Amino acid sequence: MNASGRLTLALIGILTALSAIGPSPVARAGSPLAVLSGTSVARAILKYFGKEGTEEATEFLARQGGREMAERVGAAAVREGGQEAAEQVGRLASKYGPEALTALDNAPELAPLLAALDELPESQVRAALARLSAGPAGRELAQTVGRVGVSALRSELKHPGVGGMLARVLGDDGAELATKLTSDQAIVVGRHADDLAALPTTPRNGVLSLLRNDAERMVGFMGRFAADNPGKTLFTAATTTIILAESERILGGDEIVFDAEGNPIVVSKAGIAGRTMKAGGEAIAHVSVNYLQPLFLTVIAFVVTFATLFLSLKLWHTHQREKLVTAATLKEPETIEGSVVEKK
């Protein structure tokens, strides 16, 4: 008997065992479509486990609610997408097993999720199904995918636990933003996501534009604000107005603080001027020690050497002149009583 025949016999055995247990709640609801599609999915599950895993497949379908799940997913596939969707469910179930069924069963609407999975590279499908099958978080992600599309899945795969949340709270903008951020940056933005979502459209778009265009400095400011103002909300109407009006100052290092009445104001960050002067002094000292001082010492050495040579030459000339004068003096004749006496 070939492999196909063995799989068929195994499937018959599984269905026989299931029929002995009694009809599932889905089948009892009177839907022949559910039974038919559930059988197709059961066949896909058997293919996933292989001929050596018949017992394991039977246990999953009979004892872990797998049969009802297979019927629900199969019926939803046929209802929402017809035969093509049912075949896609079968392919996913045969390749990825029970995890695929759990992920698909988490979706309130199956068609958008199947479309999103179809857009992903095959290398990412297993990881996506793992995220989608993860209990309540998986159901929440499946709902987001149904609303936002495949970009929500891509965001979650890039930043697990955060990317999907950004897509859920901020929609398409959050999903797009997540693809441009590092994981650390996404976590910082995620802490403020609900406050951003509560803003009116225009200021929210302004803040998102700052994040897209200068993520590093904007996220840095958000992190500093949270550290310096525990318990304070950054993106209120008042603070957001200041951020958008003074974005150059804020991105340049200035901070938002609150006055005695609790109103936000922008101030220069304490210590910036001092650190700037210190940095300037260090730069000048570096130039002085490494460039000006050697040049100065070289000039001094040159001047000293030149002066020494000049003075030496001057003294030599003076000495020579004195020698000549002395010699001339010794040779000058003396006159004694009208006679010239030559000195010897």
Side-chain angles (χ1 to χ4, degrees):
M1 183 180 296
N2 58 26
S4 177
R6 287 193 295 272
L7 287 174
T8 302
L9 287 178
L11 178 61
I12 292 172
I14 290 174
L15 296 178
T16 301
L18 293 177
S19 63
I21 298 172
S24 70
V26 178
R28 285 197 299 270
S31 172
L33 180 61
V35 176
L36 179 61
S37 58
T39 302
S40 175
V41 175
R43 185 182 294 111
I45 289 294
L46 178 63
K47 183 178 179 182
Y48 169 78
F49 283 108
K51 63 179 184 294
E52 303 299 332
T54 302
E55 182 178 348
E56 192 175 357
T58 303
E59 182 179 355
F60 168 75
L61 291 170
R63 301 181 188 177
Q64 299 180 16
R67 176 171 56 147
E68 292 82 0
M69 189 186 301
E71 290 175 356
R72 281 196 306 269
V73 172
V78 174
R79 183 176 62 250
E80 296 183 33
Q83 185 63 30
E84 183 178 350
E87 290 176 356
Q88 185 179 355
V89 169
R91 289 193 300 271
L92 291 171
S94 65
K95 186 169 185 178
Y96 303 106
E99 190 171 59
L101 279 187
T102 304
L104 297 174
D105 193 46
N106 268 341
E109 294 184 21
L110 194 59
L113 184 57
L114 289 174
L117 289 169
D118 198 43
E119 288 187 53
L120 286 178
E122 187 175 353
S123 60
Q124 294 183 347
V125 173
R126 184 180 295 278
L129 291 172
R131 303 300 301 173
L132 289 162
S133 64
R139 285 192 290 275
E140 195 171 63
L141 177 59
Q143 292 171 355
T144 304
V145 173
R147 181 168 54 89
V148 178
V150 69
S151 60
L153 273 181
R154 293 193 178 106
S155 300
E156 178 65 16
L157 291 176
K158 183 172 183 181
H159 309 299
V162 180
M165 181 272 288
L166 288 175
R168 173 176 57 81
V169 176
L170 298 173
D172 291 328
D173 291 326
E176 177 197 358
L177 183 62
T179 62
K180 299 178 182 297
L181 300 175
T182 66
S183 291
D184 289 341
Q185 290 172 341
I187 290 171
V188 173
V189 175
R191 296 191 184 109
H192 301 273
D194 289 328
D195 298 329
L196 279 172
L199 290 173
T201 302
T202 299
R204 180 176 68 246
N205 289 341
V207 173
L208 291 174
S209 178
L210 289 176
L211 283 167
R212 281 192 293 267
N213 296 330
D214 201 341
E216 184 175 354
R217 292 199 296 171
M218 186 61 182
V219 171
F221 159 70
M222 293 165 66
R224 293 193 303 272
F225 180 91
D228 296 339
N229 302 277
K232 292 283 188 180
T233 299
L234 173 57
F235 293 110
T236 63
T239 54
T240 303
T241 299
I242 290 180
I243 290 169
L244 296 178
E246 302 286 352
S247 60
E248 287 302 319
R249 286 185 60 187
I250 288 172
L251 295 182
D254 288 352
E255 300 290 357
I256 291 180
V257 299
F258 297 90
D259 61 19
E261 287 74 33
N263 300 311
I265 56 175
V266 182
V267 298
S268 296
K269 187 174 181 181
I272 285 181
R275 285 195 299 274
T276 301
M277 292 177 64
K278 180 181 178 182
E282 291 175 348
I284 293 173
H286 175 76
V287 172
S288 175
V289 170
N290 292 280
Y291 299 100
L292 297 182
Q293 186 173 338
L295 180 60
F296 176 76
L297 293 176
T298 301
V299 171
I300 291 298
F302 176 81
V303 169
V304 170
T305 303
F306 179 81
T308 301
L309 291 174
F310 177 80
L311 290 175
S312 298
L313 186 60
K314 188 77 172 175
L315 291 173
W316 183 80
H317 279 293
T318 302
H319 177 67
Q320 292 296 107
R321 188 167 55 253
E322 289 177 352
K323 283 176 63 178
L324 292 174
V325 170
T326 301
T329 302
L330 292 175
K331 291 182 178 181
E332 184 178 343
E334 293 184 359
T335 303
I336 300 176
E337 296 180 349
S339 299
V340 176
V341 179
E342 186 179 355
K343 291 181 180 181
K344 294 184 181 179

